[in-house]
Amino acid sequence: EWAMLRATSALRTGELVGGQGLEDNLLRQFTQLRAEYFNIGDYASGRMPMAYMILVEIITDTLVFLAPLALYLKLGPYTITASAFIAL
């Protein structure tokens, strides 16, 4: 808002040189910028799509299921304990 006020006052005092078209264009651009600024909160508070959450759950479950098999060569019998920590 302050930038829009500064630009219109600069047009009136002669700091910015332009006609009515420049002023209309500036006001339109500042209005669009302000509208996009207020949309940021809406986008940030939006929920994640359900498909994304299901995909992350499937990948996590697969990792937890396959981790003991991958760790068995290095940890041996401690794989069961390590799997419990991974599942937490």
Side-chain angles (χ1 to χ4, degrees):
E1 186 174 344
W2 63 269
M4 183 169 49
L5 293 173
R6 174 87 173 139
T8 54
S9 69
L11 281 170
R12 290 195 182 109
T13 60
E15 291 178 43
L16 284 176
V17 179
Q20 184 65 28
L22 176 64
E23 185 175 359
D24 288 343
N25 194 13
L26 277 175
L27 290 176
R28 187 177 332 107
Q29 295 297 325
F30 278 123
T31 304
Q32 288 176 353
L33 181 65
R34 189 173 183 197
E36 287 300 318
Y37 172 74
F38 286 117
N39 282 337
I40 292 173
D42 295 339
Y43 293 138
S45 67
R47 295 184 176 186
M48 278 191 233
M50 185 63 98
Y52 176 76
M53 292 173 38
I54 292 171
L55 178 67
V56 169
E57 181 182 4
I58 290 171
I59 291 172
T60 305
D61 290 343
T62 305
L63 175 67
V64 169
F65 179 73
L66 294 177
L69 300 174
L71 292 174
Y72 186 72
L73 292 175
K74 288 190 176 191
L75 296 178
Y78 295 113
T79 303
I80 297 169
T81 310
S83 299
F85 285 123
I86 290 174
L88 292 176

Coordinates of all heavy atoms in Angstrom, one line a residue:
E1 N 0.8 -1.2 0.0 CA 0.0 0.0 0.0 C 0.9 1.3 0.0 O 0.6 2.2 -0.7 CB -0.9 0.0 1.2 CG -1.9 1.1 1.2 CD -2.9 1.0 2.3 OE1 -3.1 -0.1 2.9 OE2 -3.5 2.0 2.6
W2 N 2.0 1.2 0.8 CA 2.8 2.4 0.9 C 3.5 2.7 -0.5 O 3.7 3.8 -0.9 CB 3.8 2.3 2.0 CG 4.8 1.1 1.7 CD1 4.7 -0.1 2.1 CD2 6.0 1.2 1.0 NE1 5.8 -0.9 1.7 CE2 6.6 -0.1 1.0 CE3 6.7 2.2 0.3 CZ2 7.8 -0.4 0.4 CZ3 7.9 1.9 -0.3 CH2 8.4 0.6 -0.2
A3 N 3.8 1.6 -1.2 CA 4.5 1.8 -2.5 C 3.5 2.4 -3.5 O 3.9 3.3 -4.3 CB 5.0 0.5 -3.0
M4 N 2.2 2.0 -3.4 CA 1.2 2.6 -4.3 C 1.0 4.1 -4.0 O 1.0 4.9 -4.9 CB -0.1 1.9 -4.2 CG -1.2 2.3 -5.2 SD -2.6 1.3 -5.2 CE -3.1 1.0 -3.6
L5 N 1.0 4.4 -2.8 CA 0.8 5.8 -2.4 C 2.1 6.6 -2.8 O 1.9 7.8 -3.3 CB 0.6 5.9 -0.9 CG -0.7 5.4 -0.3 CD1 -0.7 5.4 1.2 CD2 -1.9 6.1 -0.9
R6 N 3.2 6.1 -2.6 CA 4.5 6.8 -3.0 C 4.5 7.0 -4.5 O 4.9 8.0 -5.0 CB 5.7 5.9 -2.5 CG 7.0 6.4 -3.0 CD 7.5 7.4 -2.0 NE 8.9 7.7 -2.5 CZ 9.4 8.9 -2.5 NH1 8.7 9.9 -2.0 NH2 10.6 9.1 -2.9
A7 N 4.1 6.0 -5.3 CA 4.1 6.1 -6.8 C 3.1 7.1 -7.2 O 3.4 8.0 -8.1 CB 3.8 4.7 -7.4
T8 N 1.9 7.2 -6.7 CA 0.9 8.2 -7.1 C 1.4 9.6 -6.7 O 1.2 10.5 -7.4 CB -0.4 7.9 -6.5 OG1 -0.4 7.7 -5.1 CG2 -1.0 6.6 -7.1
S9 N 2.0 9.7 -5.5 CA 2.5 11.0 -5.1 C 3.6 11.5 -6.0 O 3.8 12.6 -6.3 CB 2.8 11.1 -3.6 OG 4.0 10.3 -3.4
A10 N 4.5 10.5 -6.4 CA 5.6 10.8 -7.3 C 5.1 11.3 -8.6 O 5.7 12.2 -9.3 CB 6.5 9.6 -7.4
L11 N 4.0 10.7 -9.1 CA 3.4 11.1 -10.4 C 2.9 12.5 -10.3 O 3.0 13.3 -11.2 CB 2.3 10.2 -10.8 CG 2.8 8.9 -11.5 CD1 1.6 7.9 -11.6 CD2 3.4 9.1 -12.8
R12 N 2.3 12.8 -9.2 CA 1.7 14.2 -9.0 C 2.8 15.3 -8.8 O 2.6 16.4 -9.2 CB 0.8 14.2 -7.8 CG -0.5 13.4 -8.1 CD -1.6 13.6 -7.1 NE -2.7 12.7 -7.4 CZ -3.1 11.7 -6.7 NH1 -2.5 11.4 -5.6 NH2 -4.1 11.0 -7.1
T13 N 3.9 14.9 -8.1 CA 4.9 15.9 -7.9 C 5.9 16.0 -9.1 O 6.7 16.9 -9.1 CB 5.7 15.6 -6.6 OG1 6.3 14.3 -6.7 CG2 4.8 15.7 -5.4
G14 N 5.9 15.1 -10.0 CA 6.7 15.1 -11.1 C 8.0 14.3 -11.0 O 8.9 14.3 -11.9
E15 N 8.1 13.5 -9.9 CA 9.3 12.6 -9.8 C 9.2 11.5 -10.8 O 10.3 11.1 -11.3 CB 9.3 12.0 -8.4 CG 9.6 13.0 -7.3 CD 9.6 12.4 -5.9 OE1 10.1 11.3 -5.8 OE2 9.0 13.0 -5.0
L16 N 8.0 11.0 -11.1 CA 7.8 10.1 -12.2 C 7.1 10.8 -13.3 O 6.2 11.5 -13.1 CB 6.9 8.9 -11.7 CG 7.6 7.8 -10.8 CD1 6.5 6.8 -10.4 CD2 8.7 7.1 -11.5
V17 N 7.7 10.6 -14.5 CA 7.1 11.2 -15.7 C 6.2 10.2 -16.4 O 6.7 9.2 -16.8 CB 8.2 11.8 -16.6 CG1 7.6 12.5 -17.8 CG2 9.1 12.8 -15.8
G18 N 5.0 10.6 -16.6 CA 4.1 9.7 -17.4 C 2.7 10.4 -17.4 O 2.4 11.3 -16.6
G19 N 1.9 9.8 -18.1 CA 0.5 10.3 -18.2 C -0.5 9.5 -17.4 O -0.1 8.7 -16.5
Q20 N -1.7 9.6 -17.9 CA -2.8 8.9 -17.2 C -2.7 7.4 -17.4 O -3.0 6.6 -16.5 CB -4.2 9.3 -17.7 CG -5.4 8.7 -17.1 CD -5.5 9.1 -15.6 OE1 -5.0 10.2 -15.2 NE2 -6.1 8.2 -14.8
G21 N -2.1 7.0 -18.5 CA -1.9 5.5 -18.8 C -0.9 4.9 -17.9 O -1.1 3.8 -17.4
L22 N 0.1 5.6 -17.5 CA 1.1 5.1 -16.6 C 0.5 5.0 -15.2 O 0.7 4.0 -14.5 CB 2.3 6.0 -16.5 CG 3.4 5.6 -15.5 CD1 4.0 4.3 -15.9 CD2 4.5 6.7 -15.4
E23 N -0.3 6.0 -14.8 CA -0.9 5.9 -13.5 C -1.9 4.7 -13.4 O -1.9 4.0 -12.4 CB -1.6 7.2 -13.2 CG -2.2 7.2 -11.8 CD -2.8 8.6 -11.4 OE1 -2.8 9.5 -12.3 OE2 -3.3 8.7 -10.3
D24 N -2.7 4.6 -14.5 CA -3.6 3.4 -14.5 C -2.9 2.1 -14.5 O -3.3 1.2 -13.7 CB -4.5 3.5 -15.7 CG -5.5 4.6 -15.7 OD1 -5.8 5.1 -14.6 OD2 -6.0 5.0 -16.8
N25 N -1.8 2.0 -15.2 CA -1.1 0.8 -15.3 C -0.4 0.5 -13.9 O -0.4 -0.7 -13.4 CB 0.0 0.8 -16.4 CG 0.6 -0.5 -16.7 OD1 0.1 -1.5 -16.2 ND2 1.7 -0.5 -17.4
L26 N 0.2 1.5 -13.2 CA 0.8 1.3 -11.9 C -0.3 0.9 -10.9 O -0.1 -0.1 -10.1 CB 1.4 2.6 -11.5 CG 2.8 2.9 -12.0 CD1 3.3 4.3 -11.5 CD2 3.8 1.8 -11.5
L27 N -1.4 1.5 -10.9 CA -2.5 1.2 -10.0 C -3.0 -0.3 -10.2 O -3.2 -1.0 -9.3 CB -3.7 2.1 -10.0 CG -3.4 3.5 -9.5 CD1 -4.6 4.5 -9.7 CD2 -3.0 3.5 -8.1
R28 N -3.1 -0.7 -11.5 CA -3.5 -2.0 -11.8 C -2.5 -3.0 -11.3 O -2.8 -4.1 -10.7 CB -3.8 -2.2 -13.3 CG -4.4 -3.5 -13.7 CD -4.7 -3.7 -15.1 NE -5.0 -2.5 -15.9 CZ -4.2 -1.9 -16.8 NH1 -3.0 -2.5 -17.0 NH2 -4.5 -0.8 -17.4
Q29 N -1.2 -2.8 -11.6 CA -0.2 -3.7 -11.1 C -0.1 -3.8 -9.6 O 0.1 -4.9 -9.1 CB 1.2 -3.2 -11.7 CG 1.3 -3.3 -13.2 CD 1.1 -4.7 -13.7 OE1 1.6 -5.7 -13.1 NE2 0.5 -4.9 -14.9
F30 N -0.2 -2.7 -8.9 CA -0.1 -2.7 -7.5 C -1.3 -3.4 -6.9 O -1.2 -4.1 -5.9 CB 0.0 -1.3 -6.9 CG 1.3 -0.7 -6.9 CD1 1.6 0.5 -7.5 CD2 2.4 -1.4 -6.2 CE1 2.9 1.0 -7.5 CE2 3.7 -0.8 -6.2 CZ 3.9 0.3 -6.9
T31 N -2.5 -3.3 -7.5 CA -3.7 -4.0 -7.1 C -3.5 -5.5 -7.3 O -3.9 -6.3 -6.4 CB -4.9 -3.5 -7.8 OG1 -5.0 -2.1 -7.7 CG2 -6.2 -4.1 -7.3
Q32 N -2.9 -5.9 -8.4 CA -2.7 -7.3 -8.6 C -1.7 -7.9 -7.6 O -1.8 -9.0 -7.1 CB -2.2 -7.6 -10.0 CG -3.3 -7.4 -11.1 CD -2.8 -7.6 -12.5 OE1 -1.6 -7.7 -12.7 NE2 -3.7 -7.6 -13.4
L33 N -0.6 -7.1 -7.3 CA 0.4 -7.5 -6.4 C -0.2 -7.6 -5.0 O 0.1 -8.6 -4.3 CB 1.5 -6.5 -6.3 CG 2.7 -6.7 -5.4 CD1 3.4 -8.0 -5.8 CD2 3.6 -5.5 -5.4
R34 N -1.1 -6.7 -4.6 CA -1.7 -6.8 -3.3 C -2.6 -8.0 -3.2 O -2.7 -8.7 -2.2 CB -2.5 -5.5 -3.1 CG -3.0 -5.4 -1.7 CD -3.7 -4.0 -1.5 NE -4.1 -3.9 -0.1 CZ -5.0 -3.0 0.3 NH1 -5.5 -2.2 -0.5 NH2 -5.3 -3.0 1.6
A35 N -3.4 -8.3 -4.3 CA -4.2 -9.5 -4.3 C -3.4 -10.8 -4.2 O -3.8 -11.7 -3.4 CB -5.1 -9.5 -5.6
E36 N -2.3 -10.9 -4.8 CA -1.4 -12.0 -4.7 C -0.8 -12.1 -3.3 O -0.6 -13.2 -2.8 CB -0.3 -12.0 -5.8 CG -0.8 -12.3 -7.2 CD -1.4 -13.7 -7.3 OE1 -0.9 -14.6 -6.7 OE2 -2.5 -13.8 -7.9
Y37 N -0.5 -11.0 -2.7 CA 0.0 -11.0 -1.4 C -1.0 -11.6 -0.4 O -0.6 -12.4 0.5 CB 0.4 -9.6 -0.9 CG 0.8 -9.5 0.5 CD1 2.0 -9.9 0.9 CD2 -0.1 -8.9 1.5 CE1 2.4 -9.8 2.3 CE2 0.3 -8.8 2.8 CZ 1.5 -9.3 3.2 OH 1.9 -9.2 4.5
F38 N -2.2 -11.3 -0.5 CA -3.2 -11.9 0.4 C -3.5 -13.3 0.1 O -4.1 -14.0 0.9 CB -4.5 -11.0 0.3 CG -4.4 -9.7 1.0 CD1 -4.5 -8.5 0.4 CD2 -4.1 -9.7 2.4 CE1 -4.3 -7.3 1.0 CE2 -4.0 -8.5 3.1 CZ -4.1 -7.3 2.4
N39 N -3.2 -13.8 -1.1 CA -3.4 -15.2 -1.4 C -2.3 -16.1 -0.8 O -2.5 -17.3 -0.7 CB -3.4 -15.4 -3.0 CG -4.7 -15.0 -3.6 OD1 -5.7 -15.0 -3.0 ND2 -4.6 -14.7 -4.9
I40 N -1.2 -15.6 -0.4 CA -0.1 -16.4 0.2 C -0.6 -17.1 1.4 O -0.3 -18.3 1.6 CB 1.1 -15.5 0.5 CG1 1.7 -15.0 -0.8 CG2 2.1 -16.2 1.3 CD1 2.8 -14.0 -0.6
G41 N -1.3 -16.4 2.3 CA -1.9 -17.1 3.5 C -2.8 -18.2 3.2 O -2.8 -19.2 3.9
D42 N -3.6 -18.0 2.1 CA -4.5 -19.1 1.8 C -3.8 -20.3 1.3 O -4.2 -21.4 1.6 CB -5.5 -18.6 0.6 CG -6.4 -17.5 1.1 OD1 -6.6 -17.4 2.4 OD2 -6.9 -16.7 0.3
Y43 N -2.7 -20.1 0.5 CA -1.9 -21.2 0.0 C -1.2 -21.9 1.1 O -1.1 -23.1 1.1 CB -0.9 -20.8 -1.1 CG -1.6 -20.3 -2.3 CD1 -1.1 -19.2 -3.0 CD2 -2.6 -20.9 -2.9 CE1 -1.7 -18.7 -4.1 CE2 -3.2 -20.5 -4.1 CZ -2.7 -19.4 -4.7 OH -3.3 -18.9 -5.8
A44 N -0.7 -21.1 2.1 CA 0.1 -21.7 3.2 C -0.8 -22.5 4.1 O -0.4 -23.5 4.7 CB 0.8 -20.6 3.9
S45 N -2.1 -22.1 4.3 CA -2.9 -22.8 5.2 C -3.7 -24.0 4.5 O -4.4 -24.7 5.2 CB -3.9 -21.9 5.8 OG -4.8 -21.4 4.8
G46 N -3.4 -24.2 3.3 CA -4.1 -25.3 2.6 C -3.6 -26.6 3.0 O -2.5 -26.8 3.5
R47 N -4.4 -27.6 2.8 CA -4.1 -29.0 3.2 C -3.3 -29.6 2.0 O -3.4 -29.3 0.9 CB -5.3 -29.8 3.5 CG -6.0 -29.2 4.7 CD -7.2 -30.1 5.0 NE -7.8 -29.6 6.2 CZ -8.8 -30.2 6.8 NH1 -9.3 -31.3 6.3 NH2 -9.3 -29.8 7.9
M48 N -2.6 -30.7 2.4 CA -1.9 -31.5 1.4 C -2.9 -32.4 0.7 O -3.9 -32.8 1.3 CB -0.9 -32.4 2.1 CG 0.4 -31.8 2.4 SD 1.6 -33.1 2.9 CE 2.1 -32.4 4.4
P49 N -2.7 -32.6 -0.5 CA -3.6 -33.6 -1.2 C -3.5 -35.0 -0.6 O -2.4 -35.4 -0.2 CB -3.0 -33.6 -2.7 CG -2.2 -32.4 -2.8 CD -1.7 -32.0 -1.4
M50 N -4.6 -35.6 -0.6 CA -4.7 -37.0 0.0 C -3.7 -38.0 -0.7 O -3.1 -38.8 0.0 CB -6.1 -37.5 0.0 CG -6.3 -38.8 0.7 SD -5.9 -38.6 2.5 CE -7.5 -38.4 3.1
A51 N -3.6 -37.8 -2.0 CA -2.8 -38.8 -2.7 C -1.3 -38.7 -2.3 O -0.6 -39.6 -2.2 CB -2.9 -38.5 -4.2
Y52 N -0.9 -37.4 -2.0 CA 0.5 -37.2 -1.6 C 0.7 -37.9 -0.2 O 1.8 -38.6 0.0 CB 0.8 -35.8 -1.5 CG 2.2 -35.4 -1.0 CD1 3.3 -35.6 -1.8 CD2 2.4 -35.0 0.3 CE1 4.6 -35.4 -1.3 CE2 3.6 -34.7 0.8 CZ 4.7 -34.9 0.0 OH 6.0 -34.7 0.5
M53 N -0.2 -37.7 0.7 CA -0.1 -38.3 2.0 C -0.1 -39.9 1.9 O 0.7 -40.5 2.6 CB -1.2 -37.9 2.9 CG -1.1 -36.4 3.3 SD -2.5 -35.7 4.2 CE -3.0 -37.0 5.3
I54 N -0.9 -40.4 1.1 CA -0.9 -41.9 0.9 C 0.4 -42.4 0.3 O 1.0 -43.4 0.7 CB -2.1 -42.3 0.1 CG1 -3.4 -42.0 0.9 CG2 -2.0 -43.8 -0.3 CD1 -4.7 -42.2 0.0
L55 N 0.9 -41.6 -0.7 CA 2.2 -42.0 -1.3 C 3.3 -42.0 -0.3 O 4.2 -42.9 -0.2 CB 2.5 -41.1 -2.4 CG 3.8 -41.3 -3.2 CD1 3.8 -42.7 -3.9 CD2 4.1 -40.2 -4.1
V56 N 3.4 -41.0 0.6 CA 4.4 -40.9 1.6 C 4.3 -42.1 2.6 O 5.3 -42.7 3.1 CB 4.4 -39.5 2.3 CG1 5.2 -39.5 3.6 CG2 4.8 -38.4 1.4
E57 N 3.0 -42.4 3.0 CA 2.8 -43.5 3.9 C 3.3 -44.8 3.3 O 3.9 -45.7 3.9 CB 1.3 -43.6 4.2 CG 1.0 -44.7 5.2 CD -0.5 -44.9 5.5 OE1 -1.3 -44.1 4.9 OE2 -0.8 -45.7 6.3
I58 N 3.0 -45.1 2.0 CA 3.4 -46.3 1.3 C 4.9 -46.4 1.3 O 5.5 -47.4 1.5 CB 2.8 -46.4 -0.1 CG1 1.3 -46.6 0.0 CG2 3.4 -47.5 -0.9 CD1 0.5 -46.5 -1.3
I59 N 5.6 -45.3 0.9 CA 7.1 -45.3 0.9 C 7.7 -45.5 2.3 O 8.6 -46.3 2.4 CB 7.6 -44.0 0.3 CG1 7.2 -43.9 -1.2 CG2 9.1 -43.8 0.5 CD1 7.5 -42.6 -1.9
T60 N 7.1 -44.9 3.3 CA 7.6 -45.1 4.6 C 7.4 -46.6 5.1 O 8.3 -47.2 5.7 CB 6.9 -44.2 5.6 OG1 7.1 -42.8 5.1 CG2 7.5 -44.3 7.0
D61 N 6.2 -47.1 4.8 CA 6.0 -48.5 5.2 C 6.9 -49.5 4.5 O 7.4 -50.4 5.1 CB 4.5 -48.9 4.9 CG 3.5 -48.2 5.8 OD1 4.0 -47.7 6.9 OD2 2.3 -48.1 5.5
T62 N 7.2 -49.2 3.2 CA 8.1 -50.0 2.5 C 9.5 -50.0 3.1 O 10.2 -51.0 3.2 CB 8.1 -49.6 1.0 OG1 6.8 -49.7 0.5 CG2 9.0 -50.5 0.2
L63 N 9.9 -48.8 3.5 CA 11.2 -48.6 4.1 C 11.3 -49.4 5.4 O 12.3 -50.0 5.7 CB 11.5 -47.1 4.3 CG 12.8 -46.8 5.0 CD1 14.0 -47.2 4.2 CD2 12.9 -45.3 5.4
V64 N 10.3 -49.2 6.2 CA 10.3 -49.9 7.5 C 10.3 -51.4 7.3 O 10.9 -52.2 8.1 CB 9.1 -49.4 8.4 CG1 8.9 -50.3 9.6 CG2 9.3 -48.0 8.8
F65 N 9.6 -51.9 6.3 CA 9.5 -53.3 6.1 C 10.8 -53.9 5.5 O 11.2 -55.0 5.9 CB 8.3 -53.6 5.1 CG 8.2 -55.1 4.7 CD1 7.7 -56.0 5.7 CD2 8.6 -55.6 3.5 CE1 7.6 -57.3 5.4 CE2 8.5 -56.9 3.2 CZ 8.0 -57.8 4.1
L66 N 11.5 -53.2 4.6 CA 12.7 -53.7 4.0 C 14.0 -53.4 4.8 O 15.0 -53.9 4.5 CB 12.8 -53.1 2.6 CG 11.7 -53.5 1.6 CD1 11.9 -52.9 0.3 CD2 11.8 -55.0 1.4
A67 N 13.9 -52.5 5.7 CA 15.1 -52.1 6.5 C 15.8 -53.3 7.2 O 17.0 -53.4 7.2 CB 14.8 -51.0 7.4
P68 N 15.0 -54.1 7.9 CA 15.7 -55.3 8.5 C 16.4 -56.2 7.6 O 17.5 -56.7 7.9 CB 14.5 -56.0 9.2 CG 13.4 -55.0 9.3 CD 13.6 -54.1 8.2
L69 N 15.9 -56.4 6.4 CA 16.5 -57.2 5.4 C 17.9 -56.6 4.9 O 18.9 -57.2 4.7 CB 15.6 -57.4 4.2 CG 14.3 -58.1 4.5 CD1 13.5 -58.2 3.2 CD2 14.6 -59.5 5.0
A70 N 17.9 -55.2 4.8 CA 19.1 -54.6 4.4 C 20.1 -54.5 5.5 O 21.3 -54.5 5.2 CB 18.7 -53.1 3.9
L71 N 19.7 -54.4 6.7 CA 20.6 -54.3 7.8 C 21.1 -55.6 8.4 O 22.0 -55.7 9.2 CB 19.9 -53.5 9.0 CG 19.6 -52.1 8.8 CD1 18.8 -51.5 9.9 CD2 20.9 -51.3 8.6
Y72 N 20.5 -56.7 7.9 CA 20.9 -58.0 8.5 C 22.3 -58.4 8.3 O 23.0 -58.9 9.3 CB 20.0 -59.1 7.9 CG 20.2 -60.4 8.6 CD1 19.7 -60.6 9.9 CD2 20.9 -61.5 8.0 CE1 19.9 -61.8 10.6 CE2 21.1 -62.7 8.7 CZ 20.6 -62.8 10.0 OH 20.8 -64.0 10.6
L73 N 22.9 -58.1 7.2 CA 24.3 -58.4 7.0 C 25.3 -57.7 7.9 O 26.3 -58.2 8.3 CB 24.7 -58.2 5.5 CG 24.0 -59.1 4.5 CD1 24.4 -58.6 3.1 CD2 24.4 -60.5 4.7
K74 N 24.9 -56.5 8.3 CA 25.8 -55.7 9.1 C 25.5 -55.9 10.6 O 26.4 -55.9 11.4 CB 25.7 -54.2 8.8 CG 26.4 -53.9 7.5 CD 26.5 -52.4 7.3 CE 27.2 -52.1 6.0 NZ 27.6 -50.7 5.9
L75 N 24.3 -56.0 11.0 CA 23.9 -56.0 12.4 C 23.6 -57.4 12.9 O 23.6 -57.6 14.1 CB 22.7 -55.1 12.6 CG 22.9 -53.7 12.4 CD1 21.6 -52.9 12.6 CD2 24.0 -53.1 13.2
G76 N 23.3 -58.3 12.0 CA 23.0 -59.7 12.5 C 21.8 -59.7 13.4 O 20.7 -59.2 13.0
P77 N 21.9 -60.3 14.6 CA 20.8 -60.4 15.5 C 20.3 -59.1 16.1 O 19.2 -59.0 16.5 CB 21.3 -61.3 16.7 CG 22.7 -61.4 16.5 CD 23.1 -61.0 15.1
Y78 N 21.1 -58.1 16.0 CA 20.7 -56.7 16.4 C 19.7 -56.1 15.5 O 19.2 -55.0 15.7 CB 21.9 -55.8 16.7 CG 22.8 -56.3 17.8 CD1 24.0 -56.7 17.5 CD2 22.3 -56.3 19.1 CE1 24.9 -57.2 18.5 CE2 23.1 -56.8 20.1 CZ 24.4 -57.2 19.8 OH 25.2 -57.6 20.8
T79 N 19.4 -56.7 14.4 CA 18.5 -56.2 13.4 C 17.1 -56.0 14.0 O 16.4 -55.0 13.6 CB 18.4 -57.1 12.1 OG1 19.7 -57.3 11.6 CG2 17.5 -56.5 11.1
I80 N 16.7 -56.9 14.8 CA 15.4 -56.8 15.4 C 15.3 -55.5 16.3 O 14.3 -54.8 16.2 CB 15.1 -58.0 16.3 CG1 15.1 -59.3 15.4 CG2 13.7 -57.9 17.0 CD1 15.0 -60.6 16.2
T81 N 16.3 -55.2 17.1 CA 16.3 -54.0 17.9 C 16.4 -52.8 17.0 O 15.7 -51.8 17.2 CB 17.5 -54.0 18.8 OG1 17.6 -55.2 19.5 CG2 17.5 -52.8 19.8
A82 N 17.2 -52.8 15.9 CA 17.3 -51.7 15.0 C 16.0 -51.4 14.3 O 15.6 -50.3 14.1 CB 18.4 -51.9 14.0
S83 N 15.3 -52.5 13.9 CA 14.0 -52.3 13.3 C 13.0 -51.7 14.2 O 12.1 -50.9 13.7 CB 13.4 -53.7 12.8 OG 14.3 -54.3 12.0
A84 N 13.0 -52.0 15.5 CA 12.1 -51.3 16.4 C 12.4 -49.8 16.5 O 11.5 -49.0 16.5 CB 12.3 -52.0 17.8
F85 N 13.7 -49.4 16.4 CA 14.0 -48.0 16.5 C 13.6 -47.3 15.2 O 13.2 -46.2 15.2 CB 15.5 -47.8 16.7 CG 15.9 -48.0 18.1 CD1 16.9 -49.0 18.4 CD2 15.3 -47.3 19.2 CE1 17.2 -49.2 19.8 CE2 15.6 -47.6 20.5 CZ 16.6 -48.5 20.8
I86 N 13.7 -48.0 14.1 CA 13.3 -47.4 12.8 C 11.8 -47.2 12.8 O 11.3 -46.2 12.3 CB 13.7 -48.3 11.6 CG1 15.2 -48.2 11.5 CG2 13.1 -47.9 10.3 CD1 15.8 -49.2 10.4
A87 N 11.0 -48.2 13.3 CA 9.6 -48.1 13.3 C 9.1 -47.0 14.2 O 7.9 -46.5 14.0 CB 9.0 -49.4 13.7
L88 N 9.8 -46.6 15.2 CA 9.4 -45.5 16.1 C 9.4 -44.2 15.3 O 8.6 -43.3 15.4 CB 10.3 -45.3 17.3 CG 10.3 -46.4 18.3 CD1 11.4 -46.2 19.4 CD2 9.0 -46.6 18.9

